[in-house]
PDB file of all heavy atoms in Angstrom:
ATOM      1  N   TYR A 358       2.571  -4.283  -3.741  1.00  0.00           N
ATOM      2  CA  TYR A 358       3.454  -3.152  -3.436  1.00  0.00           C
ATOM      3  C   TYR A 358       2.645  -1.931  -2.996  1.00  0.00           C
ATOM      4  O   TYR A 358       3.015  -1.242  -2.051  1.00  0.00           O
ATOM      5  CB  TYR A 358       4.297  -2.831  -4.671  1.00  0.00           C
ATOM      6  CG  TYR A 358       5.260  -1.689  -4.472  1.00  0.00           C
ATOM      7  CD1 TYR A 358       6.423  -1.856  -3.740  1.00  0.00           C
ATOM      8  CD2 TYR A 358       4.997  -0.434  -5.031  1.00  0.00           C
ATOM      9  CE1 TYR A 358       7.308  -0.811  -3.569  1.00  0.00           C
ATOM     10  CE2 TYR A 358       5.864   0.617  -4.857  1.00  0.00           C
ATOM     11  CZ  TYR A 358       7.026   0.425  -4.115  1.00  0.00           C
ATOM     12  OH  TYR A 358       7.903   1.463  -3.939  1.00  0.00           O
ATOM     13  N   ARG A 359       1.527  -1.687  -3.692  1.00  0.00           N
ATOM     14  CA  ARG A 359       0.675  -0.551  -3.316  1.00  0.00           C
ATOM     15  C   ARG A 359      -0.009  -0.774  -1.976  1.00  0.00           C
ATOM     16  O   ARG A 359      -0.369   0.181  -1.295  1.00  0.00           O
ATOM     17  CB  ARG A 359      -0.352  -0.289  -4.411  1.00  0.00           C
ATOM     18  CG  ARG A 359       0.307   0.277  -5.675  1.00  0.00           C
ATOM     19  CD  ARG A 359      -0.676   0.500  -6.768  1.00  0.00           C
ATOM     20  NE  ARG A 359      -1.646   1.503  -6.371  1.00  0.00           N
ATOM     21  CZ  ARG A 359      -2.732   1.782  -7.067  1.00  0.00           C
ATOM     22  NH1 ARG A 359      -2.973   1.134  -8.195  1.00  0.00           N
ATOM     23  NH2 ARG A 359      -3.572   2.690  -6.657  1.00  0.00           N
ATOM     24  N   LEU A 360      -0.193  -2.039  -1.604  1.00  0.00           N
ATOM     25  CA  LEU A 360      -0.759  -2.343  -0.293  1.00  0.00           C
ATOM     26  C   LEU A 360       0.189  -1.916   0.829  1.00  0.00           C
ATOM     27  O   LEU A 360      -0.259  -1.441   1.879  1.00  0.00           O
ATOM     28  CB  LEU A 360      -1.056  -3.843  -0.181  1.00  0.00           C
ATOM     29  CG  LEU A 360      -1.592  -4.334   1.165  1.00  0.00           C
ATOM     30  CD1 LEU A 360      -3.002  -3.796   1.380  1.00  0.00           C
ATOM     31  CD2 LEU A 360      -1.571  -5.843   1.215  1.00  0.00           C
ATOM     32  N   LEU A 361       1.472  -2.040   0.595  1.00  0.00           N
ATOM     33  CA  LEU A 361       2.448  -1.643   1.611  1.00  0.00           C
ATOM     34  C   LEU A 361       2.396  -0.158   1.932  1.00  0.00           C
ATOM     35  O   LEU A 361       2.673   0.259   3.054  1.00  0.00           O
ATOM     36  CB  LEU A 361       3.869  -2.012   1.162  1.00  0.00           C
ATOM     37  CG  LEU A 361       4.189  -3.500   1.098  1.00  0.00           C
ATOM     38  CD1 LEU A 361       5.584  -3.708   0.538  1.00  0.00           C
ATOM     39  CD2 LEU A 361       4.061  -4.124   2.473  1.00  0.00           C
ATOM     40  N   PHE A 362       2.047   0.655   0.941  1.00  0.00           N
ATOM     41  CA  PHE A 362       1.997   2.103   1.139  1.00  0.00           C
ATOM     42  C   PHE A 362       0.571   2.617   1.336  1.00  0.00           C
ATOM     43  O   PHE A 362       0.301   3.807   1.133  1.00  0.00           O
ATOM     44  CB  PHE A 362       2.657   2.817  -0.043  1.00  0.00           C
ATOM     45  CG  PHE A 362       4.125   2.519  -0.135  1.00  0.00           C
ATOM     46  CD1 PHE A 362       4.624   1.695  -1.127  1.00  0.00           C
ATOM     47  CD2 PHE A 362       5.013   3.039   0.786  1.00  0.00           C
ATOM     48  CE1 PHE A 362       5.962   1.411  -1.212  1.00  0.00           C
ATOM     49  CE2 PHE A 362       6.360   2.763   0.717  1.00  0.00           C
ATOM     50  CZ  PHE A 362       6.842   1.940  -0.285  1.00  0.00           C
ATOM     51  N   ASP A 363      -0.350   1.742   1.715  1.00  0.00           N
ATOM     52  CA  ASP A 363      -1.744   2.085   2.018  1.00  0.00           C
ATOM     53  C   ASP A 363      -2.454   2.788   0.868  1.00  0.00           C
ATOM     54  O   ASP A 363      -3.270   3.679   1.073  1.00  0.00           O
ATOM     55  CB  ASP A 363      -1.833   2.936   3.287  1.00  0.00           C
ATOM     56  CG  ASP A 363      -1.443   2.146   4.514  1.00  0.00           C
ATOM     57  OD1 ASP A 363      -1.658   0.920   4.511  1.00  0.00           O
ATOM     58  OD2 ASP A 363      -0.917   2.751   5.470  1.00  0.00           O
ATOM     59  N   GLN A 364      -2.142   2.382  -0.353  1.00  0.00           N
ATOM     60  CA  GLN A 364      -2.835   2.934  -1.509  1.00  0.00           C
ATOM     61  C   GLN A 364      -3.990   2.042  -1.952  1.00  0.00           C
ATOM     62  O   GLN A 364      -4.870   2.480  -2.687  1.00  0.00           O
ATOM     63  CB  GLN A 364      -1.857   3.137  -2.664  1.00  0.00           C
ATOM     64  CG  GLN A 364      -0.791   4.176  -2.350  1.00  0.00           C
ATOM     65  CD  GLN A 364       0.238   4.277  -3.461  1.00  0.00           C
ATOM     66  OE1 GLN A 364       0.215   3.491  -4.404  1.00  0.00           O
ATOM     67  NE2 GLN A 364       1.132   5.232  -3.342  1.00  0.00           N
ATOM     68  N   LEU A 365      -3.972   0.776  -1.531  1.00  0.00           N
ATOM     69  CA  LEU A 365      -5.040  -0.170  -1.846  1.00  0.00           C
ATOM     70  C   LEU A 365      -5.446  -0.896  -0.576  1.00  0.00           C
ATOM     71  O   LEU A 365      -4.657  -1.030   0.359  1.00  0.00           O
ATOM     72  CB  LEU A 365      -4.579  -1.217  -2.870  1.00  0.00           C
ATOM     73  CG  LEU A 365      -4.458  -0.800  -4.328  1.00  0.00           C
ATOM     74  CD1 LEU A 365      -3.946  -1.958  -5.160  1.00  0.00           C
ATOM     75  CD2 LEU A 365      -5.784  -0.337  -4.868  1.00  0.00           C
ATOM     76  N   GLU A 366      -6.668  -1.398  -0.589  1.00  0.00           N
ATOM     77  CA  GLU A 366      -7.131  -2.212   0.529  1.00  0.00           C
ATOM     78  C   GLU A 366      -6.795  -3.667   0.256  1.00  0.00           C
ATOM     79  O   GLU A 366      -6.574  -4.072  -0.883  1.00  0.00           O
ATOM     80  CB  GLU A 366      -8.635  -2.049   0.710  1.00  0.00           C
ATOM     81  CG  GLU A 366      -9.057  -0.659   1.111  1.00  0.00           C
ATOM     82  CD  GLU A 366     -10.565  -0.543   1.232  1.00  0.00           C
ATOM     83  OE1 GLU A 366     -11.247  -1.587   1.136  1.00  0.00           O
ATOM     84  OE2 GLU A 366     -11.040   0.576   1.419  1.00  0.00           O
ATOM     85  N   ILE A 367      -6.793  -4.468   1.299  1.00  0.00           N
ATOM     86  CA  ILE A 367      -6.427  -5.878   1.171  1.00  0.00           C
ATOM     87  C   ILE A 367      -7.432  -6.635   0.301  1.00  0.00           C
ATOM     88  O   ILE A 367      -7.047  -7.542  -0.439  1.00  0.00           O
ATOM     89  CB  ILE A 367      -6.281  -6.532   2.567  1.00  0.00           C
ATOM     90  CG1 ILE A 367      -5.722  -7.962   2.447  1.00  0.00           C
ATOM     91  CG2 ILE A 367      -7.595  -6.550   3.299  1.00  0.00           C
ATOM     92  CD1 ILE A 367      -4.300  -8.035   2.049  1.00  0.00           C
ATOM     93  N   THR A 368      -8.698  -6.240   0.345  1.00  0.00           N
ATOM     94  CA  THR A 368      -9.690  -6.937  -0.480  1.00  0.00           C
ATOM     95  C   THR A 368      -9.437  -6.708  -1.968  1.00  0.00           C
ATOM     96  O   THR A 368      -9.581  -7.626  -2.771  1.00  0.00           O
ATOM     97  CB  THR A 368     -11.112  -6.486  -0.120  1.00  0.00           C
ATOM     98  OG1 THR A 368     -11.202  -5.078  -0.239  1.00  0.00           O
ATOM     99  CG2 THR A 368     -11.472  -6.922   1.278  1.00  0.00           C
ATOM    100  N   GLN A 369      -9.043  -5.495  -2.330  1.00  0.00           N
ATOM    101  CA  GLN A 369      -8.736  -5.210  -3.726  1.00  0.00           C
ATOM    102  C   GLN A 369      -7.506  -5.994  -4.184  1.00  0.00           C
ATOM    103  O   GLN A 369      -7.458  -6.489  -5.307  1.00  0.00           O
ATOM    104  CB  GLN A 369      -8.507  -3.723  -3.930  1.00  0.00           C
ATOM    105  CG  GLN A 369      -9.746  -2.887  -3.757  1.00  0.00           C
ATOM    106  CD  GLN A 369      -9.449  -1.403  -3.860  1.00  0.00           C
ATOM    107  OE1 GLN A 369      -8.313  -0.978  -3.646  1.00  0.00           O
ATOM    108  NE2 GLN A 369     -10.468  -0.625  -4.178  1.00  0.00           N
ATOM    109  N   VAL A 370      -6.523  -6.115  -3.307  1.00  0.00           N
ATOM    110  CA  VAL A 370      -5.311  -6.853  -3.648  1.00  0.00           C
ATOM    111  C   VAL A 370      -5.629  -8.332  -3.821  1.00  0.00           C
ATOM    112  O   VAL A 370      -5.160  -8.976  -4.766  1.00  0.00           O
ATOM    113  CB  VAL A 370      -4.225  -6.636  -2.566  1.00  0.00           C
ATOM    114  CG1 VAL A 370      -3.023  -7.506  -2.825  1.00  0.00           C
ATOM    115  CG2 VAL A 370      -3.826  -5.169  -2.523  1.00  0.00           C
ATOM    116  N   LEU A 371      -6.448  -8.872  -2.945  1.00  0.00           N
ATOM    117  CA  LEU A 371      -6.805 -10.285  -3.052  1.00  0.00           C
ATOM    118  C   LEU A 371      -7.655 -10.563  -4.284  1.00  0.00           C
ATOM    119  O   LEU A 371      -7.514 -11.613  -4.913  1.00  0.00           O
ATOM    120  CB  LEU A 371      -7.514 -10.742  -1.782  1.00  0.00           C
ATOM    121  CG  LEU A 371      -6.629 -10.799  -0.532  1.00  0.00           C
ATOM    122  CD1 LEU A 371      -7.454 -11.184   0.687  1.00  0.00           C
ATOM    123  CD2 LEU A 371      -5.473 -11.754  -0.728  1.00  0.00           C
ATOM    124  N   VAL A 372      -8.534  -9.638  -4.640  1.00  0.00           N
ATOM    125  CA  VAL A 372      -9.330  -9.801  -5.856  1.00  0.00           C
ATOM    126  C   VAL A 372      -8.416  -9.787  -7.076  1.00  0.00           C
ATOM    127  O   VAL A 372      -8.577 -10.597  -7.998  1.00  0.00           O
ATOM    128  CB  VAL A 372     -10.415  -8.708  -5.957  1.00  0.00           C
ATOM    129  CG1 VAL A 372     -11.017  -8.645  -7.344  1.00  0.00           C
ATOM    130  CG2 VAL A 372     -11.485  -8.949  -4.917  1.00  0.00           C
ATOM    131  N   ARG A 373      -7.448  -8.905  -7.100  1.00  0.00           N
ATOM    132  CA  ARG A 373      -6.502  -8.865  -8.221  1.00  0.00           C
ATOM    133  C   ARG A 373      -5.688 -10.146  -8.298  1.00  0.00           C
ATOM    134  O   ARG A 373      -5.387 -10.649  -9.385  1.00  0.00           O
ATOM    135  CB  ARG A 373      -5.586  -7.653  -8.107  1.00  0.00           C
ATOM    136  CG  ARG A 373      -6.310  -6.355  -8.358  1.00  0.00           C
ATOM    137  CD  ARG A 373      -5.394  -5.181  -8.256  1.00  0.00           C
ATOM    138  NE  ARG A 373      -6.159  -3.938  -8.365  1.00  0.00           N
ATOM    139  CZ  ARG A 373      -5.637  -2.787  -8.728  1.00  0.00           C
ATOM    140  NH1 ARG A 373      -4.358  -2.704  -8.988  1.00  0.00           N
ATOM    141  NH2 ARG A 373      -6.394  -1.713  -8.807  1.00  0.00           N
ATOM    142  N   PHE A 374      -5.320 -10.691  -7.145  1.00  0.00           N
ATOM    143  CA  PHE A 374      -4.591 -11.956  -7.133  1.00  0.00           C
ATOM    144  C   PHE A 374      -5.480 -13.093  -7.646  1.00  0.00           C
ATOM    145  O   PHE A 374      -5.033 -13.925  -8.431  1.00  0.00           O
ATOM    146  CB  PHE A 374      -4.082 -12.274  -5.727  1.00  0.00           C
ATOM    147  CG  PHE A 374      -3.402 -13.599  -5.620  1.00  0.00           C
ATOM    148  CD1 PHE A 374      -2.138 -13.788  -6.154  1.00  0.00           C
ATOM    149  CD2 PHE A 374      -4.021 -14.669  -4.999  1.00  0.00           C
ATOM    150  CE1 PHE A 374      -1.505 -15.017  -6.072  1.00  0.00           C
ATOM    151  CE2 PHE A 374      -3.404 -15.899  -4.907  1.00  0.00           C
ATOM    152  CZ  PHE A 374      -2.141 -16.075  -5.441  1.00  0.00           C
ATOM    153  N   LEU A 375      -6.741 -13.123  -7.213  1.00  0.00           N
ATOM    154  CA  LEU A 375      -7.643 -14.170  -7.668  1.00  0.00           C
ATOM    155  C   LEU A 375      -7.944 -14.066  -9.161  1.00  0.00           C
ATOM    156  O   LEU A 375      -8.175 -15.072  -9.819  1.00  0.00           O
ATOM    157  CB  LEU A 375      -8.949 -14.131  -6.864  1.00  0.00           C
ATOM    158  CG  LEU A 375      -8.821 -14.585  -5.414  1.00  0.00           C
ATOM    159  CD1 LEU A 375     -10.153 -14.425  -4.689  1.00  0.00           C
ATOM    160  CD2 LEU A 375      -8.341 -16.015  -5.345  1.00  0.00           C
ATOM    161  N   ILE A 376      -7.945 -12.870  -9.699  1.00  0.00           N
ATOM    162  CA  ILE A 376      -8.108 -12.696 -11.138  1.00  0.00           C
ATOM    163  C   ILE A 376      -6.839 -13.147 -11.867  1.00  0.00           C
ATOM    164  O   ILE A 376      -6.894 -13.715 -12.957  1.00  0.00           O
ATOM    165  CB  ILE A 376      -8.460 -11.233 -11.473  1.00  0.00           C
ATOM    166  CG1 ILE A 376      -9.863 -10.919 -10.966  1.00  0.00           C
ATOM    167  CG2 ILE A 376      -8.347 -10.947 -12.955  1.00  0.00           C
ATOM    168  CD1 ILE A 376     -10.237  -9.462 -11.044  1.00  0.00           C
ATOM    169  N   ALA A 377      -5.689 -12.931 -11.250  1.00  0.00           N
ATOM    170  CA  ALA A 377      -4.419 -13.290 -11.883  1.00  0.00           C
ATOM    171  C   ALA A 377      -4.200 -14.807 -11.929  1.00  0.00           C
ATOM    172  O   ALA A 377      -3.467 -15.286 -12.785  1.00  0.00           O
ATOM    173  CB  ALA A 377      -3.264 -12.619 -11.141  1.00  0.00           C
ATOM    174  N   VAL A 378      -4.827 -15.566 -11.035  1.00  0.00           N
ATOM    175  CA  VAL A 378      -4.599 -17.019 -10.997  1.00  0.00           C
ATOM    176  C   VAL A 378      -5.076 -17.703 -12.284  1.00  0.00           C
ATOM    177  O   VAL A 378      -4.295 -18.437 -12.906  1.00  0.00           O
ATOM    178  CB  VAL A 378      -5.236 -17.643  -9.738  1.00  0.00           C
ATOM    179  CG1 VAL A 378      -5.233 -19.154  -9.828  1.00  0.00           C
ATOM    180  CG2 VAL A 378      -4.491 -17.196  -8.492  1.00  0.00           C
ATOM    181  N   PRO A 379      -6.307 -17.521 -12.750  1.00  0.00           N
ATOM    182  CA  PRO A 379      -6.674 -18.198 -14.009  1.00  0.00           C
ATOM    183  C   PRO A 379      -5.918 -17.665 -15.220  1.00  0.00           C
ATOM    184  O   PRO A 379      -5.637 -18.420 -16.155  1.00  0.00           O
ATOM    185  CB  PRO A 379      -8.178 -17.957 -14.138  1.00  0.00           C
ATOM    186  CG  PRO A 379      -8.506 -16.884 -13.200  1.00  0.00           C
ATOM    187  CD  PRO A 379      -7.453 -16.848 -12.154  1.00  0.00           C
ATOM    188  N   ILE A 380      -5.579 -16.383 -15.204  1.00  0.00           N
ATOM    189  CA  ILE A 380      -4.804 -15.823 -16.309  1.00  0.00           C
ATOM    190  C   ILE A 380      -3.423 -16.475 -16.352  1.00  0.00           C
ATOM    191  O   ILE A 380      -2.929 -16.860 -17.413  1.00  0.00           O
ATOM    192  CB  ILE A 380      -4.706 -14.289 -16.180  1.00  0.00           C
ATOM    193  CG1 ILE A 380      -6.079 -13.672 -16.375  1.00  0.00           C
ATOM    194  CG2 ILE A 380      -3.702 -13.719 -17.172  1.00  0.00           C
ATOM    195  CD1 ILE A 380      -6.149 -12.196 -16.057  1.00  0.00           C
ATOM    196  N   ALA A 381      -2.795 -16.623 -15.199  1.00  0.00           N
ATOM    197  CA  ALA A 381      -1.487 -17.273 -15.131  1.00  0.00           C
ATOM    198  C   ALA A 381      -1.585 -18.732 -15.544  1.00  0.00           C
ATOM    199  O   ALA A 381      -0.686 -19.259 -16.210  1.00  0.00           O
ATOM    200  CB  ALA A 381      -0.919 -17.152 -13.714  1.00  0.00           C
ATOM    201  N   ALA A 382      -2.673 -19.405 -15.167  1.00  0.00           N
ATOM    202  CA  ALA A 382      -2.846 -20.810 -15.545  1.00  0.00           C
ATOM    203  C   ALA A 382      -2.955 -20.962 -17.056  1.00  0.00           C
ATOM    204  O   ALA A 382      -2.344 -21.868 -17.647  1.00  0.00           O
ATOM    205  CB  ALA A 382      -4.076 -21.382 -14.852  1.00  0.00           C
ATOM    206  N   VAL A 383      -3.707 -20.081 -17.694  1.00  0.00           N
ATOM    207  CA  VAL A 383      -3.860 -20.142 -19.155  1.00  0.00           C
ATOM    208  C   VAL A 383      -2.535 -19.826 -19.843  1.00  0.00           C
ATOM    209  O   VAL A 383      -2.140 -20.506 -20.799  1.00  0.00           O
ATOM    210  CB  VAL A 383      -4.985 -19.192 -19.616  1.00  0.00           C
ATOM    211  CG1 VAL A 383      -4.977 -19.013 -21.127  1.00  0.00           C
ATOM    212  CG2 VAL A 383      -6.327 -19.681 -19.126  1.00  0.00           C
ATOM    213  N   LEU A 384      -1.831 -18.805 -19.378  1.00  0.00           N
ATOM    214  CA  LEU A 384      -0.558 -18.440 -19.993  1.00  0.00           C
ATOM    215  C   LEU A 384       0.482 -19.547 -19.851  1.00  0.00           C
ATOM    216  O   LEU A 384       1.212 -19.862 -20.796  1.00  0.00           O
ATOM    217  CB  LEU A 384      -0.041 -17.136 -19.395  1.00  0.00           C
ATOM    218  CG  LEU A 384      -0.811 -15.874 -19.777  1.00  0.00           C
ATOM    219  CD1 LEU A 384      -0.275 -14.667 -19.014  1.00  0.00           C
ATOM    220  CD2 LEU A 384      -0.723 -15.633 -21.271  1.00  0.00           C
ATOM    221  N   LEU A 385       0.569 -20.143 -18.676  1.00  0.00           N
ATOM    222  CA  LEU A 385       1.541 -21.218 -18.482  1.00  0.00           C
ATOM    223  C   LEU A 385       1.145 -22.481 -19.234  1.00  0.00           C
ATOM    224  O   LEU A 385       2.012 -23.218 -19.715  1.00  0.00           O
ATOM    225  CB  LEU A 385       1.721 -21.509 -16.992  1.00  0.00           C
ATOM    226  CG  LEU A 385       2.526 -20.456 -16.230  1.00  0.00           C
ATOM    227  CD1 LEU A 385       2.597 -20.801 -14.756  1.00  0.00           C
ATOM    228  CD2 LEU A 385       3.922 -20.326 -16.797  1.00  0.00           C
ATOM    229  N   ALA A 386      -0.147 -22.751 -19.361  1.00  0.00           N
ATOM    230  CA  ALA A 386      -0.582 -23.906 -20.154  1.00  0.00           C
ATOM    231  C   ALA A 386      -0.232 -23.705 -21.629  1.00  0.00           C
ATOM    232  O   ALA A 386       0.209 -24.642 -22.302  1.00  0.00           O
ATOM    233  CB  ALA A 386      -2.076 -24.126 -19.979  1.00  0.00           C
TER     234      ALA A 386
END
């Protein structure tokens, strides 16, 4: 959402997504 309003760069958003993937995997497991 912050990427849409130019508050974050795409690399920061992708890093946050990549960090969220293992966290989501552990939570769902």
